[in-house]
């Protein structure tokens, strides 16, 4: 009898994979799509290999409004913007890239948004990041956590940023748990 109960309650492989997928969020999305080196041409194929697909967010959604903001401006100055989702992850990804007029230099941005998150769990962030974290706040902005070095070292300035925003405003277009990084072909001296 005990053997039957144990066999019935032991999770099978599909159950374990489904449970893991249900837990996937911004941290996993960031690892799959935003880490690495190079521009959009290097990052997008890696994300797609991990199951992320391109989509156009509905115009009335938060990500749709974020897309509109990114694409606002004269045609010569609009970045290439791509939005990604994955049925096994509750986060969405925005990638965009601006290039110089000659097209030789770039600044690539990768931003993960977990809109349904209710907070940023600092202990979970520390366990995932495994690098020094520097806290900063600008006026009444959200509290930003800069992740320095380690696997984030390819980001501009050698870091990535995590923060939680509970509301939208004129200056804050995203709500939820947000992780972001950017990379550039420019040296740090050229950008500063």
């Amino acid at each position: 009898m005990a053997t039957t109960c144990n066999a019935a309650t032991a999770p099978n492989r599909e159950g374990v994979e489904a449970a893991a997928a249900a837990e996937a969020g911004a941290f996993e999305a960031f690892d799959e799509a935003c880490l690495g080196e190079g521009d959009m041409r290097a990052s997008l194929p890696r994300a797609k290999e991990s199951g992320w697909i391109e989509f156009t967010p509905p115009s009335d959604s938060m990500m749709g409004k974020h897309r509109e903001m990114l694409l606002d401006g004269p045609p010569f100055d609009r970045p290439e913007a791509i939005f990604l989702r994955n049925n096994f992850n509750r986060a969405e990804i925005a990638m965009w890239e601006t290039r110089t007029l000659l097209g030789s230099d770039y600044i690539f941005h990768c931003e993960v948004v977990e809109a349904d998150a209710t907070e940023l769990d600092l202990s979970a962030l520390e366990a995932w990041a495994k690098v020094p974290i520097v806290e900063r706040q600008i006026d009444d902005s959200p509290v930003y956590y800069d992740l320095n070095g380690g696997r984030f070292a390819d980001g501009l300035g050698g870091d990535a940023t995590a923060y939680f925003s509970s509301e939208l405003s004129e200056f804050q277009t995203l709500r939820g748990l947000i992780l972001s990084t950017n990379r550039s072909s420019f040296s740090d001296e050229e950008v500063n």
Side-chain angles (χ1 to χ4, degrees), residues 96-189:
W96 70 97
E97 179 176 276
T98 52
R99 288 196 165 264
T100 58
L101 288 176
L102 296 177
S104 57
D105 288 303
Y106 65 86
I107 298 178
F108 167 78
H109 305 265
C110 190
E111 194 165 49
V112 175
V113 181
E114 187 179 331
D116 293 335
T118 56
E119 64 179 359
L120 189 158
D121 181 338
L122 190 53
S123 61
L125 178 66
E126 290 169 345
W128 168 73
K130 296 182 177 100
V131 297
I133 298 175
V134 177
E135 182 181 318
R136 66 183 165 92
Q137 189 171 24
I138 303 165
D139 298 327
D140 60 349
S141 74
V143 176
Y144 296 106
Y145 298 94
D146 294 326
L147 316 173
N148 296 295
R151 66 186 190 277
F152 309 107
D154 292 317
L156 197 57
D159 63 15
T161 300
Y163 66 97
F164 177 78
S165 176
S166 59
E167 53 190 66
L168 303 175
S169 69
E170 180 182 351
F171 305 105
Q172 183 59 44
T173 59
L174 298 174
R175 182 183 62 244
L177 174 58
I178 296 113
L179 302 174
S180 65
T181 192
N182 51 58
R183 294 188 290 274
S184 173
S185 58
F186 297 102
S187 68
D188 284 343
E189 292 79 27

Side-chain angles (χ1 to χ4, degrees), residues 2-41:
T3 305
T4 306
C5 289
N6 287 339
T9 59
N12 60 23
R13 181 176 169 201
E14 291 80 17
V16 170
E17 288 174 355
E23 291 300 312
F27 297 149
E28 293 83 0
F30 191 91
D31 285 341
E32 292 174 354
C34 297
L35 289 177
E37 299 177 352
D39 61 4
M40 182 89 75
R41 289 185 301 261

